[in-house]
Amino acid sequence: MTTRRSFLGLLSAPLAASIAFPRFGGPLLHGTRAMMPSDIGTLDDEAYWRALRTQFTIPADQAFFNTATLGSSPRVVQDAVIASIQHIGRDIADWDYKPDHENFFTGYYPEMPTRDKLATTVNCTGRDIALTQNATFGMNFLANGLDLKPGDEVVVTNQAHPGGRKGFDLRAKRDGIVVREVIVPEPPESPEQLIQLFLDATTPRTRVWAIPHISSSRAIRYPVFQLCALARERGIWSAVDGAQSLGHVAIDVQSMGCDAFYASPHKWMLAPVGTGLLYIRPERQKEVWATLASSAWDEQTDPMYRLMQYGTGNLSLLIGLGVAVEFHNQIGSARIQQRDFALADRLRSGLASVPGATIVSPTHPELTCATTVYGLQGKTGGQIQDYLWERGRVRVRSMGDTIGVRHACHIYNSPAEVDKALALLTELAAA
Ligand SMILES: Cc1ncc(COP(=O)(O)O)c(C=O)c1O
């Protein structure tokens, strides 16, 4: 079996050279050269983020605030994926199936280089991670893989995204487990209030707490450290849905203390669409059966590889994922979180001066994040969304007519873009 030395090592030498991050050799005027963050060098903060913005292909006159749905991959990630697809298409006949030849697909190999690389971002080892297609796969692999008996209980929130919950609903219908739904106040007042909801819904039959790290529709940042500790004391699985948190807030699965963490790097990690990860704490990995079975479905020496038995998959996406993780790591999770939160703070304080604006997401500092959900009196979510786009090429996402919009700030956004959105909202409020 071929071993992969690194995510670029599996490419032919000329291809690897062509996507191996050209060095930054000139002024960043037009941003036409694909660069890694380390090529930008040391610049003061705003200049650094401006330089980084040139590495995204979103047109300069467009402000994209919908990373909570899907991120925009930087140029180096796009280039890596495209180069790999072209390489496979061109050089496939050269594949002799001998052990020292690179592979051209995933699904039959442990993919350790990519798992190791992702592990650096969440602080575990690559062996504790299964590569999936997205968070939904991770949640389903856990929900379907646990030996849950009729009457066993799972606590979920009423605001859970379907991709963080429905696998448990399926088990309820099929196997008679009980899904207990806690109703989250809008907005919650404090971390303690959220913790109490989980405790109140817990009984001696509770086996799993399905915890959104950051919720999708209301952007609530849950007190995951405390929740995981309380679950651990009770022997309950803490299953953290990290679809909205990976790449957004700094993640350390070991200090968080979760039993499982599933995520979609194609959102805030800016990886190619259709990439995912499932982490399970080493001590609990063997409690989870494989849901999709192929050759290594029962490979006990690499328990998380058992959960990657999905048949032929797209290697080019994994290569792009590796580059995206490297791009993220070179900036640094803490720096990204700080930047994103600062932009969101600017938005939230600006909203206080927009007539008729109401923040729907929490304002308690421990519950906020880089995403804000807000409404405007007398306007539907659709009206706000469309006004911002049509008048200013500012992309936020409607959360439905009665709620308002979701506005996610990430590293390609600037304070000027936040200010532009606020000016448009003020204009719309007066219209
Ligand atoms: C909190 C949360 N969980 C799960 C998902 C599902 O993500 P995916 O479709 O990438 O599996 C989403 C998607 O928006 C989400 O916001």
Side-chain angles (χ1 to χ4, degrees):
M1 187 177 289
T2 302
T3 52
R4 303 237 171 100
R5 287 169 295 281
S6 75
F7 66 92
L8 284 176
L10 76 173
L11 303 176
S12 67
L15 178 78
S18 74
I19 66 166
F21 324 133
R23 310 303 298 173
F24 172 43
L28 269 176
L29 290 179
H30 305 297
T32 50
R33 196 176 323 205
M35 296 190 313
M36 290 296 276
S38 60
D39 294 317
I40 290 172
T42 43
L43 293 173
D44 76 41
D45 219 35
E46 282 311 320
Y48 176 81
W49 296 114
R50 270 198 305 277
L52 201 74
R53 174 64 176 83
T54 66
Q55 292 309 303
F56 293 91
T57 54
I58 302 165
D61 66 338
Q62 295 182 11
F64 178 67
F65 287 110
N66 194 18
T67 305
T69 300
L70 201 59
S72 169
S73 294
R75 201 186 297 273
V76 281
V77 172
Q78 298 179 28
D79 286 356
V81 174
I82 292 166
S84 165
I85 289 171
Q86 290 174 336
H87 165 54
I88 294 168
R90 186 182 56 237
D91 300 325
I92 195 152
D94 179 47
W95 187 10
D96 55 13
Y97 262 89
K98 290 182 183 154
D100 61 345
H101 199 280
E102 66 188 279
N103 297 315
F104 283 145
F105 56 61
T106 65
Y108 292 87
Y109 312 99
E111 308 297 353
M112 279 320 301
T114 311
R115 289 162 72 193
D116 286 342
K117 189 160 274 292
L118 261 177
T120 59
T121 318
V122 298
N123 190 29
C124 63
T125 75
R127 292 174 63 81
D128 302 328
I129 284 179
L131 302 172
T132 64
Q133 189 172 313
N134 49 42
T136 304
F137 270 54
M139 176 276 299
N140 273 283
F141 285 168
L142 184 73
N144 288 296
L146 285 174
D147 275 327
L148 297 174
K149 296 181 187 57
D152 282 351
E153 295 179 8
V154 177
V155 178
V156 303
T157 76
N158 63 322
Q159 295 174 355
H161 187 282
R165 160 174 183 168
K166 291 294 175 187
F168 296 108
D169 288 336
L170 184 156
R171 292 295 302 272
K173 185 161 186 184
R174 187 175 182 188
D175 299 321
I177 71 164
V178 175
V179 175
R180 284 189 181 271
E181 187 180 84
V182 299
I183 308 296
V184 179
E186 299 201 19
E189 282 160 18
S190 65
E192 293 72 29
Q193 190 185 33
L194 290 169
I195 290 167
Q196 199 56 48
L197 291 174
F198 275 83
L199 290 173
D200 289 348
T202 298
T203 77
R205 295 299 306 265
T206 306
R207 298 286 171 264
V208 183
W209 282 358
I211 307 163
H213 192 173
I214 293 176
S215 69
S216 175
S217 60
R218 299 294 182 276
I220 301 164
R221 182 161 53 106
Y222 278 70
V224 282
F225 284 63
Q226 297 95 310
L227 284 166
C228 291
L230 290 165
R232 178 88 64 100
E233 282 167 17
R234 292 160 176 74
I236 294 170
W237 271 83
S238 52
V240 176
D241 174 355
Q244 292 292 345
S245 63
L246 181 73
H248 170 179
V249 298
I251 306 287
D252 178 337
V253 285
Q254 294 189 69
S255 59
M256 189 193 296
C258 54
D259 290 324
F261 180 88
Y262 25 86
S264 293
H266 47 230
K267 294 181 188 281
W268 298 80
M269 189 68 87
L270 311 179
V273 183
T275 48
L277 77 90
L278 168 62
Y279 159 86
I280 299 181
R281 189 159 67 85
E283 294 78 3
R284 302 207 81 163
Q285 289 168 5
K286 290 186 179 174
E287 291 176 49
V288 181
W289 288 82
T291 293
L292 297 180
S294 185
S295 52
W297 72 275
D298 202 21
E299 176 51 67
Q300 297 297 326
T301 59
D302 186 354
M304 295 308 285
Y305 180 41
R306 292 177 308 129
L307 308 184
M308 293 169 50
Q309 302 299 307
Y310 43 73
T312 303
N314 191 328
L315 176 65
S316 307
L317 297 183
L318 282 198
I319 289 172
L321 172 62
V323 179
V325 172
E326 183 64 29
F327 191 92
H328 174 98
N329 286 351
Q330 284 190 13
I331 305 169
S333 298
R335 190 174 186 187
I336 290 170
Q337 175 173 342
Q338 198 179 30
R339 170 67 171 180
D340 289 1
F341 276 37
L343 290 168
D345 282 343
R346 186 182 185 99
L347 174 68
R348 284 187 284 264
S349 41
L351 283 170
S353 310
V354 175
T358 316
I359 295 180
V360 178
S361 44
T363 47
H364 187 292
E366 286 174 47
L367 304 180
T368 55
C369 63
T371 303
T372 310
V373 181
Y374 55 85
L376 206 51
Q377 197 175 21
K379 310 291 177 200
T380 66
Q383 283 170 329
I384 305 170
Q385 171 189 287
D386 293 346
Y387 189 87
L388 265 56
W389 180 248
E390 282 155 21
R391 297 294 291 250
R393 292 289 176 261
V394 171
R395 174 55 68 199
V396 295
R397 177 170 166 184
S398 170
M399 288 283 106
D401 283 352
T402 53
I403 306 293
V405 293
R406 185 176 68 183
H407 192 137
C409 298
H410 202 25
I411 54 175
Y412 26 62
N413 298 126
S414 65
E417 288 179 348
V418 171
D419 294 348
K420 183 178 180 183
L422 288 165
L424 287 164
L425 288 164
T426 307
E427 205 178 277
L428 175 61

